[in-house]
Amino acid sequence: MTVTSMSFIFLLIFLHSLSPMHSLPLAPALYVFGDSMFDSGNNNILPTIAKADYLPYGVNFVKGVTGRFTNGRTVADFIAEFLGLPYAPPCVSIMSLSTPLTGLNYASGSSGILPETGDRFGKCLNLNEQIDLFKRTVRSELPRHFKSPEELSEHLSKSIFIISVGSNDYINNYLQPNTYNTSIRYPPQPFAQLLVDSLGQRFERLYNLGARKIVMFEIGPIGCIPSITRQHKHNGQCVEDTNQIVSFFNQRLPALLKYLTSTLQGSTFVLAQANFLGYDAIINPPIYGLEDSTNPCCITWANGTSGCIPLLTPCPNAYKHFFWDAYHLTEAAYSLIATRCINDTSICTPFNIKELVQL
């Protein structure tokens, strides 16, 4: 072998070592819980009509159609990229395969905090059932990869847990009086307290299973989503009465997360204040590089108030749209939320994700 060829080989090795794909991740794993905002394909296998396993969903995603309820990446995907981890695979689809050490996605479209939320669409995994699956992961699958319980505990304590849940408890439950009687039984503020109390119990379960760094996303401004704005009379761009109802839940989150952080030893609960950011992007889209914050990008059922119609060509400039279908956001909108949560303590508080991984 000549000196020139050896030098070339050493140069390739050096450049290879600089690749971010081979740098150490910032956290050992990312565990994802919630609803269709984060679902990466769990609903593909569940007996439900709440699915996104067809085009145009995934039209801009590198892996194509996966069951993500958007055109590309979700907030969870952007956070995984920042952490230097693979996208968390859907838990349900790998039950018979080897459990990855880099995290799993338990999120399920149409699910909520309350067990009955979403059941009119078929079977989904409510938050408690998602934690049941995580319990199986922790108790039965992960131990075989670690030499001791202490090593497993350290793995979990340094991992990042992200949760986006609660929207469907309003969209598919409280705001559906012909299907559910929750709005009859509970005024808005007691209902919000019911959700927050239930959520606190779920968080304690996660803590007892080893979670320590937990990021909870607020419910977004659902009074602005096309499925609401196109079916209710309103002044302005959003149905503000609906936004007000949801605000009672978001207003109670900070106290819950502070309480849990102070009482559950070694825990850090982060509040992702995504509601105002989303609302501002909807009301002032040019500030965020967007042009359309009113209409779905894909062609949906029921005149823009439902999911994408299969195989129809969506708008050509999804990166300029806030909404992908009548409920979900585009990759561009998710990128905005994730980037702010990673870097900005005014959105993710008291620590952004960049700071959270260093704790």
Side-chain angles (χ1 to χ4, degrees), residues 134-349:
F134 176 66
K135 178 180 179 180
R136 191 178 77 171
T137 300
V138 171
R139 299 283 172 83
S140 302
E141 304 298 331
L142 288 179
R144 69 187 67 176
H145 297 285
F146 295 93
K147 296 179 181 178
S148 67
E150 291 74 22
E151 281 192 8
L152 173 55
S153 294
E154 183 179 11
H155 166 84
L156 293 171
S157 69
K158 293 181 178 179
S159 297
I160 302 297
F161 292 73
I162 61 173
I163 301 166
S164 174
V165 71
S167 295
N168 290 320
D169 292 295
Y170 287 95
I171 298 172
N172 296 325
N173 187 331
Y174 194 76
L175 299 176
Q176 300 294 329
N178 294 329
T179 305
Y180 296 93
N181 66 355
T182 46
S183 61
I184 299 172
R185 291 187 292 131
Y186 298 97
Q189 296 203 41
F191 181 70
Q193 192 61 51
L194 171 70
L195 292 181
V196 168
D197 290 343
S198 299
L199 183 63
Q201 295 170 7
R202 309 297 182 260
F203 281 150
E204 289 192 30
R205 285 195 68 198
L206 279 177
Y207 175 84
N208 291 332
L209 290 169
R212 294 296 181 267
K213 299 179 179 182
I214 300 174
V215 182
M216 173 65 191
F217 285 78
E218 287 180 333
I219 297 176
I222 62 176
C224 303
I225 64 177
S227 68
I228 298 292
T229 60
R230 294 189 176 202
Q231 297 187 73
H232 298 84
K233 293 181 179 180
H234 58 95
N235 296 318
Q237 193 162 340
C238 303
V239 182
E240 298 300 349
D241 288 346
T242 300
N243 284 337
Q244 178 62 47
I245 290 173
V246 170
S247 74
F248 296 132
F249 174 85
N250 288 337
Q251 289 166 6
R252 286 163 167 75
L253 276 182
L256 170 67
L257 301 184
K258 287 180 181 178
Y259 171 76
L260 293 173
T261 299
S262 66
T263 57
L264 300 179
Q265 184 177 4
S267 69
T268 302
F269 285 82
V270 170
L271 174 63
Q273 300 178 109
N275 183 283
F276 176 77
L277 178 61
Y279 185 82
D280 196 45
I282 291 167
I283 301 300
N284 303 298
I287 296 176
Y288 300 91
L290 302 172
E291 293 177 356
D292 190 323
S293 59
T294 303
N295 303 297
C297 177
C298 75
I299 302 172
T300 83
W301 301 104
N303 189 32
T305 63
S306 189
C308 299
I309 298 175
L311 304 179
L312 294 187
T313 303
C315 68
N317 55 342
Y319 65 95
K320 292 291 186 180
H321 277 246
F322 188 85
F323 292 108
W324 172 247
D325 61 16
Y327 301 96
H328 307 99
L329 314 188
T330 60
E331 179 183 79
Y334 287 140
S335 175
L336 167 66
I337 295 169
T339 300
R340 292 293 182 89
C341 188
I342 290 167
N343 298 291
D344 192 341
T345 51
S346 70
I347 298 300
C348 279
T349 183

Side-chain angles (χ1 to χ4, degrees), residues 118-130:
D119 59 9
R120 68 192 183 108
F121 299 113
K123 175 60 184 174
C124 64
L125 301 172
N126 64 59
L127 184 56
N128 212 32
E129 291 174 322
Q130 294 175 34

